[in-house]
Amino acid sequence: MATNRNKRSLTVNFKQPEGLAVVHKLIAQADVLVENFIPGKLAEVGLGYEECRKINPRLIYASISGYGQTGPYSKAAGYDVIVEAEAGLMHMYVTYVCRQEIS
């Protein structure tokens, strides 16, 4: 609740023409677009940097991903729980949850 305080949200299926039209309207009015899809995924549906730049030339387009834009894992989804497990941090979460349930 604290993280999203005073924010508005919208769910849009941009794979449908109607949803894509909504996203295009938002892009036209936006200052910044931040996306965290697998690299190239938004370009596949017409929402890559070049397409968005045509809609709004002043748009700042930030693209982040779990494993970077290039490299052997770039096409893999980088979910929080996966990164925790790979980094060896999952045990802290599991231990905490177990202790809470036992208490």
Side-chain angles (χ1 to χ4, degrees), residues 12-34:
V12 178
N13 184 351
F14 54 77
K15 292 183 179 180
Q16 298 297 319
E18 300 84 8
L20 191 58
V22 170
V23 175
H24 284 176
K25 287 180 185 177
L26 292 170
I27 290 169
Q29 300 171 23
D31 296 317
V32 179
L33 183 147
V34 179

Side-chain angles (χ1 to χ4, degrees), residues 2-60:
T3 304
N4 291 315
R5 183 177 177 191
N6 296 325
K7 292 182 183 175
R8 294 181 292 169
S9 64
L10 176 67
T11 302
V12 178
N13 184 351
F14 54 77
K15 292 183 179 180
Q16 298 297 319
E18 300 84 8
L20 191 58
V22 170
V23 175
H24 284 176
K25 287 180 185 177
L26 292 170
I27 290 169
Q29 300 171 23
D31 296 317
V32 179
L33 183 147
V34 179
E35 63 94 354
N36 66 338
F37 287 88
I38 294 169
K41 190 55 76 173
L42 283 184
E44 291 176 12
V45 295
L47 292 171
Y49 171 73
E50 292 301 328
E51 293 86 3
C52 291
R53 188 171 159 229
K54 290 175 186 173
I55 298 167
N56 182 347
R58 62 179 178 75
L59 183 71
I60 297 169

Side-chain angles (χ1 to χ4, degrees), residues 60-71:
I60 297 169
Y61 189 103
S63 180
I64 59 175
S65 66
Y67 295 100
Q69 300 295 308
T70 60

